[in-house]
Amino acid sequence: MIPYGRQDISDEDVNNVIKVLNSDYLTTGPNVNEFEDNFSKYIKCKHSIAVNSGTSALDIALSSLGIKKGMEVITTAFTFVATSNCILYNNLKPKFADIDYSFNINPDSIRKKITNKTKAIIYVDYAGNPCNIKEIKNIADEYDLYLIEDAAHACGAESNGSKIGTFADVTTFSFHPVKNITTGEGGMVTTDNDDISNKLRLLRNHGINKEYNIRNQEQSYLYDIVTLGRNYRITDFQCALGSSQLKRLDAFIDKRTLIAERYKREINYPNQLIENNIKHAWHLFTILLNNKTERDSFFLYMKNNGVNVNVHYIPIYKFSYYKQFNFKPLKNTEDIFNRIVTLPIYPSLSEFDLNKIIDLTNKWKYCA
Ligand SMILES: *Cc1c(COP(=O)(O)O)cnc(C)c1O
């Protein structure tokens, strides 16, 4: 089976991890700081805080803002469930705004969901396609809302010449193996705000009021717990992989872009609308079929021919756990969910496999 996404690990990546496994520190050692510094330099942001998953990144991103229990956070339902689970972890209420045919949250729909309890917006750059950040910022300024950017798909993407990770109050990334770079499991939070950065570091490490530094021989035994934190730390060997992968990120995106360009040129189904002045990170490549039965039939056909296509995403309000909140279905979210298919895209996808996928797609004829 050709997967829809997969990691690309080089010999150098492997060797960089082995070096750390043979060193003194498996966790909270020099590689964590190094990965954070490398990431900040790449994104051109002030602070990067590495954690053990993209979900942990979202959880502490929201906690760091100190929003009062029971307040509302507007987000999209057309995303991985972690985007809205983090709202529930923090005893806040998710409100889903609709998307448009960029597959990103629609600014007009955000406006309609704002109440006097709304405190933040979490927006997702679907597939690595940056949102209309200018318009979302205008809304945030107008209503005094925090912005969290879930950039799990958008590591390396740009809007108006700046990297994603520099726009929102807090931005989160994921390094799961299908994402643009991987640490196995892992994530990153970026911010330019010193106070938020300090809170994020506390929340990552049990709320301990100083960074535990095992290398510091002078360290006193005294420490304090100043907030309710977690253990969301990432290991040193994962961070060695992260730094090693980060060097390859631009080349990864170039490969993904070539694949996306061929799909766009050679496949006759529409894909997402893309803004001007952006650099797409192409975490996913999706097409829209005409209706649900056609999509379901295409999905099976591709699977039967050895191509593991996927559907990103089932709208979050459809899940059993979310039924208790009585969300109403959203028009564009429903339409796109019913018609969408994710085609394979990853740096090591071979010419042979890519030709096969394009060929299969073009040969396919839906018969009702
Ligand atoms: C992958 C993903 C996450 C969660 O990241 P993990 O590292 O798997 O915890 C969050 N949001 C979106 C949109 C994702 O795609």
Side-chain angles (χ1 to χ4, degrees), residues 101-120:
Y101 285 77
S102 67
F103 307 168
N104 284 333
I105 196 164
N106 176 267
D108 295 329
S109 181
I110 294 176
R111 284 183 186 277
K112 289 188 189 129
K113 299 286 167 176
I114 292 174
T115 72
N116 56 12
K117 287 189 162 174
T118 309
K119 295 293 171 197

Side-chain angles (χ1 to χ4, degrees), residues 160-177:
N160 280 307
S162 297
K163 285 268 178 327
I164 296 301
T166 55
F167 295 97
D169 295 295
V170 205
T171 304
T172 66
F173 297 88
S174 163
F175 307 130
H176 179 277

Side-chain angles (χ1 to χ4, degrees), residues 58-85:
L58 280 164
D59 185 18
I60 61 171
L62 198 48
S63 301
S64 74
L65 303 176
I67 300 170
K68 225 175 71 199
K69 192 173 156 172
M71 296 295 116
E72 297 169 0
V73 178
I74 296 173
T75 191
T76 168
F78 199 62
T79 178
F80 184 58
V81 69
T83 311
S84 80
N85 277 352

Side-chain angles (χ1 to χ4, degrees), residues 232-284:
Y232 282 168
R233 297 186 310 256
I234 183 170
T235 65
D236 259 51
F237 49 95
Q238 287 174 295
C239 287
L241 181 56
S243 289
S244 194
Q245 287 259 302
L246 187 60
K247 286 190 207 151
R248 307 176 62 206
L249 175 57
D250 288 339
F252 284 160
I253 293 175
D254 289 346
K255 287 286 286 280
R256 290 174 176 276
T257 304
L258 286 176
I259 295 166
E261 292 302 329
R262 281 207 55 199
Y263 280 148
K264 282 199 279 187
R265 256 199 326 270
E266 295 176 41
I267 289 179
N268 246 339
Y269 289 101
N271 51 78
Q272 69 188 146
L273 301 177
I274 292 167
E275 300 262 340
N276 293 325
N277 294 319
I278 65 109
K279 179 181 175 179
H280 202 306
W282 292 114
H283 162 58
L284 301 175

Side-chain angles (χ1 to χ4, degrees), residues 53-56 58 79-80 82-83 124 150 152-153 174-176 179 185-186 283 313:
S53 76
T55 305
S56 300
L58 280 164
T79 178
F80 184 58
T83 311
V124 179
D150 179 349
H153 298 185
S174 163
F175 307 130
H176 179 277
K179 304 293 162 70
E185 298 280 359
H283 162 58
Y313 288 94

Side-chain angles (χ1 to χ4, degrees), residues 1-4 298-300 302-303 307-311 341-344 357:
M1 282 301 249
I2 304 170
Y4 80 86
F298 177 77
F299 185 88
L300 261 181
M302 292 300 272
K303 290 244 175 191
V307 183
N308 213 351
V309 292
N310 211 321
V311 170
V341 174
T342 304
L343 299 178
I357 298 158

